[in-house]
Amino acid sequence: MPETTVRTAGAGVRLAVGYFHSYSVVGLLAVVGVLFVAVAFASGRLLRPVVPTREKMLTYECGVDPVGEGWAHTQVRYYVYAFLYVIFAVDSIFLFPWATVFAAPGFGGTTLVEMFIFLGFLAVGLLYAWKKGVLEWT
């Protein structure tokens, strides 16, 4: 069983105290933040008037009085377009780090091959969506 040495004084103790002091500052700041939010919510709950009326309990949508039921049919194709946009927008973000690595010495050829493989996967996904008729507006 290895022995552990404990220093009672010196630079090591001062270093440990400084190390934990920085964490105590962060912890104190977190506690103050949580208390600030709790006090704000509690004071808002105590000071606000509570007078429920029929008009206050209605659904509010941009200043327009609600008419009919809350159910509405939505076309799925809008979600498909949004989903495709998000996929290709997020995937295109990966091209920027590759562009910076491409300029670094020793990574040019490998990075270029990886980039074209990635673009190939994107092209296959776009071709699949096109073949399935997802990109047609009807």
Side-chain angles (χ1 to χ4, degrees), residues 39-97:
V39 167
F41 276 118
S43 62
R45 188 173 186 95
L46 291 174
L47 297 176
R48 73 175 179 224
V50 180
V51 185
T53 61
R54 187 170 189 271
E55 290 83 19
K56 287 183 181 180
M57 302 308 280
L58 285 176
T59 305
Y60 179 76
E61 183 66 34
C62 299
V64 178
D65 289 333
V67 177
E69 295 182 18
W71 294 98
H73 293 283
T74 306
Q75 296 291 333
V76 175
R77 65 178 172 228
Y78 300 123
Y79 295 112
V80 172
Y81 280 109
F83 186 64
L84 285 172
Y85 171 75
V86 168
I87 287 173
F88 287 103
V90 169
D91 288 342
S92 66
I93 290 173
F94 288 115
L95 296 177
F96 291 107

Side-chain angles (χ1 to χ4, degrees), residues 6-133:
V6 177
R7 292 186 184 181
T8 57
V13 172
R14 280 180 275 174
L15 183 64
V17 169
Y19 179 76
F20 289 116
H21 176 69
S22 62
Y23 278 113
S24 64
V25 170
V26 172
L28 180 66
L29 186 62
V31 168
V32 168
V34 168
L35 284 175
F36 181 76
V37 171
V39 167
F41 276 118
S43 62
R45 188 173 186 95
L46 291 174
L47 297 176
R48 73 175 179 224
V50 180
V51 185
T53 61
R54 187 170 189 271
E55 290 83 19
K56 287 183 181 180
M57 302 308 280
L58 285 176
T59 305
Y60 179 76
E61 183 66 34
C62 299
V64 178
D65 289 333
V67 177
E69 295 182 18
W71 294 98
H73 293 283
T74 306
Q75 296 291 333
V76 175
R77 65 178 172 228
Y78 300 123
Y79 295 112
V80 172
Y81 280 109
F83 186 64
L84 285 172
Y85 171 75
V86 168
I87 287 173
F88 287 103
V90 169
D91 288 342
S92 66
I93 290 173
F94 288 115
L95 296 177
F96 291 107
W98 273 326
T100 58
V101 171
F102 183 70
F107 290 105
T110 306
T111 305
L112 190 63
V113 169
E114 288 177 353
M115 191 180 323
F116 278 116
I117 290 172
F118 179 74
L119 290 175
F121 281 122
L122 287 180
V124 167
L126 186 61
L127 182 66
Y128 176 77
W130 180 61
K131 288 287 188 183
K132 285 291 194 179

